[in-house]
PDB file of all heavy atoms in Angstrom:
ATOM      1  N   CYS P 409     -16.758 -22.453  -4.915  1.00  0.00           N
ATOM      2  CA  CYS P 409     -17.585 -21.274  -5.123  1.00  0.00           C
ATOM      3  C   CYS P 409     -19.072 -21.600  -5.040  1.00  0.00           C
ATOM      4  O   CYS P 409     -19.871 -20.808  -4.545  1.00  0.00           O
ATOM      5  CB  CYS P 409     -17.324 -20.669  -6.501  1.00  0.00           C
ATOM      6  SG  CYS P 409     -15.839 -19.673  -6.554  1.00  0.00           S
ATOM      7  N   LEU P 410     -19.450 -22.740  -5.558  1.00  0.00           N
ATOM      8  CA  LEU P 410     -20.870 -23.058  -5.661  1.00  0.00           C
ATOM      9  C   LEU P 410     -21.423 -23.728  -4.418  1.00  0.00           C
ATOM     10  O   LEU P 410     -22.492 -23.392  -3.935  1.00  0.00           O
ATOM     11  CB  LEU P 410     -21.102 -23.982  -6.864  1.00  0.00           C
ATOM     12  CG  LEU P 410     -20.787 -23.350  -8.213  1.00  0.00           C
ATOM     13  CD1 LEU P 410     -21.042 -24.342  -9.320  1.00  0.00           C
ATOM     14  CD2 LEU P 410     -21.637 -22.115  -8.403  1.00  0.00           C
ATOM     15  N   SER P 411     -20.673 -24.700  -3.903  1.00  0.00           N
ATOM     16  CA  SER P 411     -21.250 -25.500  -2.826  1.00  0.00           C
ATOM     17  C   SER P 411     -20.489 -25.374  -1.515  1.00  0.00           C
ATOM     18  O   SER P 411     -20.857 -25.985  -0.528  1.00  0.00           O
ATOM     19  CB  SER P 411     -21.283 -26.969  -3.251  1.00  0.00           C
ATOM     20  OG  SER P 411     -20.024 -27.356  -3.748  1.00  0.00           O
ATOM     21  N   GLY P 412     -19.432 -24.554  -1.508  1.00  0.00           N
ATOM     22  CA  GLY P 412     -18.644 -24.388  -0.290  1.00  0.00           C
ATOM     23  C   GLY P 412     -19.443 -23.716   0.811  1.00  0.00           C
ATOM     24  O   GLY P 412     -20.614 -23.375   0.633  1.00  0.00           O
ATOM     25  N   ARG P 413     -18.774 -23.487   1.916  1.00  0.00           N
ATOM     26  CA  ARG P 413     -19.454 -22.945   3.088  1.00  0.00           C
ATOM     27  C   ARG P 413     -20.189 -21.637   2.770  1.00  0.00           C
ATOM     28  O   ARG P 413     -21.230 -21.341   3.335  1.00  0.00           O
ATOM     29  CB  ARG P 413     -18.403 -22.694   4.187  1.00  0.00           C
ATOM     30  CG  ARG P 413     -18.925 -22.706   5.592  1.00  0.00           C
ATOM     31  CD  ARG P 413     -17.779 -22.765   6.580  1.00  0.00           C
ATOM     32  NE  ARG P 413     -16.925 -21.595   6.500  1.00  0.00           N
ATOM     33  CZ  ARG P 413     -17.230 -20.398   7.068  1.00  0.00           C
ATOM     34  NH1 ARG P 413     -18.342 -20.264   7.729  1.00  0.00           N
ATOM     35  NH2 ARG P 413     -16.408 -19.390   6.981  1.00  0.00           N
ATOM     36  N   ASN P 414     -19.605 -20.888   1.823  1.00  0.00           N
ATOM     37  CA  ASN P 414     -20.191 -19.605   1.486  1.00  0.00           C
ATOM     38  C   ASN P 414     -20.901 -19.620   0.137  1.00  0.00           C
ATOM     39  O   ASN P 414     -21.355 -18.592  -0.352  1.00  0.00           O
ATOM     40  CB  ASN P 414     -19.088 -18.539   1.457  1.00  0.00           C
ATOM     41  CG  ASN P 414     -19.331 -17.488   2.505  1.00  0.00           C
ATOM     42  OD1 ASN P 414     -20.393 -16.884   2.506  1.00  0.00           O
ATOM     43  ND2 ASN P 414     -18.390 -17.313   3.395  1.00  0.00           N
ATOM     44  N   GLY P 415     -20.957 -20.793  -0.490  1.00  0.00           N
ATOM     45  CA  GLY P 415     -21.451 -20.882  -1.853  1.00  0.00           C
ATOM     46  C   GLY P 415     -22.929 -20.542  -1.967  1.00  0.00           C
ATOM     47  O   GLY P 415     -23.681 -20.628  -1.003  1.00  0.00           O
ATOM     48  N   LEU P 416     -23.307 -20.174  -3.170  1.00  0.00           N
ATOM     49  CA  LEU P 416     -24.698 -19.796  -3.410  1.00  0.00           C
ATOM     50  C   LEU P 416     -25.624 -21.003  -3.304  1.00  0.00           C
ATOM     51  O   LEU P 416     -26.722 -20.925  -2.770  1.00  0.00           O
ATOM     52  CB  LEU P 416     -24.812 -19.170  -4.806  1.00  0.00           C
ATOM     53  CG  LEU P 416     -26.150 -18.557  -5.173  1.00  0.00           C
ATOM     54  CD1 LEU P 416     -26.510 -17.440  -4.211  1.00  0.00           C
ATOM     55  CD2 LEU P 416     -26.100 -18.040  -6.596  1.00  0.00           C
ATOM     56  N   PHE P 417     -25.160 -22.137  -3.810  1.00  0.00           N
ATOM     57  CA  PHE P 417     -25.999 -23.339  -3.835  1.00  0.00           C
ATOM     58  C   PHE P 417     -25.620 -24.291  -2.703  1.00  0.00           C
ATOM     59  O   PHE P 417     -25.011 -25.333  -2.947  1.00  0.00           O
ATOM     60  CB  PHE P 417     -25.829 -24.081  -5.156  1.00  0.00           C
ATOM     61  CG  PHE P 417     -26.240 -23.299  -6.364  1.00  0.00           C
ATOM     62  CD1 PHE P 417     -25.283 -22.707  -7.165  1.00  0.00           C
ATOM     63  CD2 PHE P 417     -27.572 -23.173  -6.722  1.00  0.00           C
ATOM     64  CE1 PHE P 417     -25.649 -21.989  -8.301  1.00  0.00           C
ATOM     65  CE2 PHE P 417     -27.947 -22.460  -7.852  1.00  0.00           C
ATOM     66  CZ  PHE P 417     -26.981 -21.873  -8.644  1.00  0.00           C
ATOM     67  N   ARG P 418     -25.962 -23.936  -1.502  1.00  0.00           N
ATOM     68  CA  ARG P 418     -25.647 -24.849  -0.402  1.00  0.00           C
ATOM     69  C   ARG P 418     -26.713 -25.932  -0.346  1.00  0.00           C
ATOM     70  O   ARG P 418     -27.904 -25.652  -0.459  1.00  0.00           O
ATOM     71  CB  ARG P 418     -25.644 -24.096   0.934  1.00  0.00           C
ATOM     72  CG  ARG P 418     -24.446 -23.198   1.123  1.00  0.00           C
ATOM     73  CD  ARG P 418     -24.745 -22.221   2.231  1.00  0.00           C
ATOM     74  NE  ARG P 418     -25.963 -21.471   1.920  1.00  0.00           N
ATOM     75  CZ  ARG P 418     -26.526 -20.604   2.740  1.00  0.00           C
ATOM     76  NH1 ARG P 418     -26.019 -20.394   3.924  1.00  0.00           N
ATOM     77  NH2 ARG P 418     -27.620 -19.955   2.378  1.00  0.00           N
ATOM     78  N   SER P 419     -26.299 -27.150  -0.148  1.00  0.00           N
ATOM     79  CA  SER P 419     -27.286 -28.225  -0.039  1.00  0.00           C
ATOM     80  C   SER P 419     -26.657 -29.443   0.610  1.00  0.00           C
ATOM     81  O   SER P 419     -25.491 -29.753   0.394  1.00  0.00           O
ATOM     82  CB  SER P 419     -27.804 -28.600  -1.423  1.00  0.00           C
ATOM     83  OG  SER P 419     -28.630 -29.733  -1.315  1.00  0.00           O
ATOM     84  N   ASN P 420     -27.415 -30.134   1.438  1.00  0.00           N
ATOM     85  CA  ASN P 420     -26.919 -31.391   1.985  1.00  0.00           C
ATOM     86  C   ASN P 420     -27.761 -32.552   1.476  1.00  0.00           C
ATOM     87  O   ASN P 420     -27.863 -33.599   2.077  1.00  0.00           O
ATOM     88  CB  ASN P 420     -26.911 -31.367   3.522  1.00  0.00           C
ATOM     89  CG  ASN P 420     -28.133 -30.654   4.066  1.00  0.00           C
ATOM     90  OD1 ASN P 420     -29.162 -30.596   3.391  1.00  0.00           O
ATOM     91  ND2 ASN P 420     -28.019 -30.138   5.269  1.00  0.00           N
ATOM     92  N   ASN P 421     -28.347 -32.311   0.325  1.00  0.00           N
ATOM     93  CA  ASN P 421     -29.201 -33.320  -0.294  1.00  0.00           C
ATOM     94  C   ASN P 421     -28.425 -33.949  -1.454  1.00  0.00           C
ATOM     95  O   ASN P 421     -27.828 -33.245  -2.266  1.00  0.00           O
ATOM     96  CB  ASN P 421     -30.474 -32.594  -0.762  1.00  0.00           C
ATOM     97  CG  ASN P 421     -31.276 -33.385  -1.770  1.00  0.00           C
ATOM     98  OD1 ASN P 421     -30.739 -33.847  -2.766  1.00  0.00           O
ATOM     99  ND2 ASN P 421     -32.548 -33.529  -1.505  1.00  0.00           N
ATOM    100  N   GLY P 422     -28.429 -35.265  -1.485  1.00  0.00           N
ATOM    101  CA  GLY P 422     -27.628 -35.975  -2.484  1.00  0.00           C
ATOM    102  C   GLY P 422     -27.978 -35.615  -3.912  1.00  0.00           C
ATOM    103  O   GLY P 422     -27.102 -35.341  -4.729  1.00  0.00           O
ATOM    104  N   HIS P 423     -29.264 -35.559  -4.211  1.00  0.00           N
ATOM    105  CA  HIS P 423     -29.707 -35.235  -5.567  1.00  0.00           C
ATOM    106  C   HIS P 423     -29.213 -33.852  -6.005  1.00  0.00           C
ATOM    107  O   HIS P 423     -28.675 -33.681  -7.092  1.00  0.00           O
ATOM    108  CB  HIS P 423     -31.235 -35.289  -5.633  1.00  0.00           C
ATOM    109  CG  HIS P 423     -31.797 -34.853  -6.947  1.00  0.00           C
ATOM    110  ND1 HIS P 423     -32.443 -33.642  -7.113  1.00  0.00           N
ATOM    111  CD2 HIS P 423     -31.784 -35.446  -8.162  1.00  0.00           C
ATOM    112  CE1 HIS P 423     -32.813 -33.519  -8.375  1.00  0.00           C
ATOM    113  NE2 HIS P 423     -32.432 -34.603  -9.040  1.00  0.00           N
ATOM    114  N   ASP P 424     -29.367 -32.880  -5.091  1.00  0.00           N
ATOM    115  CA  ASP P 424     -28.935 -31.516  -5.405  1.00  0.00           C
ATOM    116  C   ASP P 424     -27.425 -31.454  -5.614  1.00  0.00           C
ATOM    117  O   ASP P 424     -26.938 -30.781  -6.528  1.00  0.00           O
ATOM    118  CB  ASP P 424     -29.337 -30.563  -4.272  1.00  0.00           C
ATOM    119  CG  ASP P 424     -30.856 -30.359  -4.233  1.00  0.00           C
ATOM    120  OD1 ASP P 424     -31.526 -30.791  -5.183  1.00  0.00           O
ATOM    121  OD2 ASP P 424     -31.330 -29.785  -3.252  1.00  0.00           O
TER     122      ASP P 424
END
Side-chain angles (χ1 to χ4, degrees):
Chain P
C409 280
L410 295 180
S411 49
R413 205 167 63 79
N414 243 304
L416 187 60
F417 298 102
R418 287 163 303 175
S419 173
N420 39 25
N421 163 309
H423 175 253
D424 290 350

